[in-house]
Amino acid sequence: MRNTLLVTSVLGAALVAMLPAGAAGAQAPGDGSLKVQASTGTDQIPVTGVAVGITTCSAGPVLATVTTGRDGTVTQNFPNGCYQAQVTSVPSGCELASIAYVQVDVAPGTTPVASFQFRCA
């Protein structure tokens, strides 16, 4: 299954343009990945359809909005740096049970995880 990326700024478009044609999941040399994980309950049941906006830690414009898939995760490549992942939309029947944003450092060959907990009916 291919993850969907909605680009919401010119800088976000530049990030996508840095990826090789037709390889949205491919990493450019020197890039890392940022993984968003959404789950509910003590059994960590995946939550589908959580939208998360990604900005730099300096709180600039939203670079990208990613949405969790059936496994409750989404992974996107980004250049090295500090990023903030913030929940922007919660699926019907769920509410955020943890903080709304997480800061992570992306570095080559790494995949830091921004984890969010939910309570769902």
Side-chain angles (χ1 to χ4, degrees):
M1 175 160 65
R2 187 172 179 173
N3 294 323
T4 302
L5 169 68
L6 171 65
V7 177
T8 58
S9 73
V10 173
L11 184 53
L15 288 172
V16 172
M18 292 172 43
L19 298 174
Q27 257 186 357
D31 284 358
S33 297
L34 186 154
K35 180 178 184 177
V36 173
Q37 182 173 9
S39 59
T40 185
T42 56
D43 293 333
Q44 301 297 301
I45 298 167
V47 179
T48 301
V50 175
V52 176
I54 309 295
T55 65
T56 63
C57 287
S58 60
V62 174
L63 303 174
T65 298
V66 296
T67 304
T68 59
R70 290 177 24 175
D71 66 352
T73 70
V74 60
T75 303
Q76 180 62 43
N77 297 333
F78 288 95
N80 299 337
C82 181
Y83 294 90
Q84 181 171 291
Q86 182 168 353
V87 174
T88 58
S89 178
V90 177
S92 178
C94 294
E95 65 181 24
L96 193 59
S98 65
I99 59 172
Y101 69 91
V102 175
Q103 286 189 346
V104 295
D105 288 312
V106 173
T110 68
T111 306
V113 179
S115 292
F116 298 99
Q117 291 293 313
F118 294 85
R119 285 187 287 272
C120 299

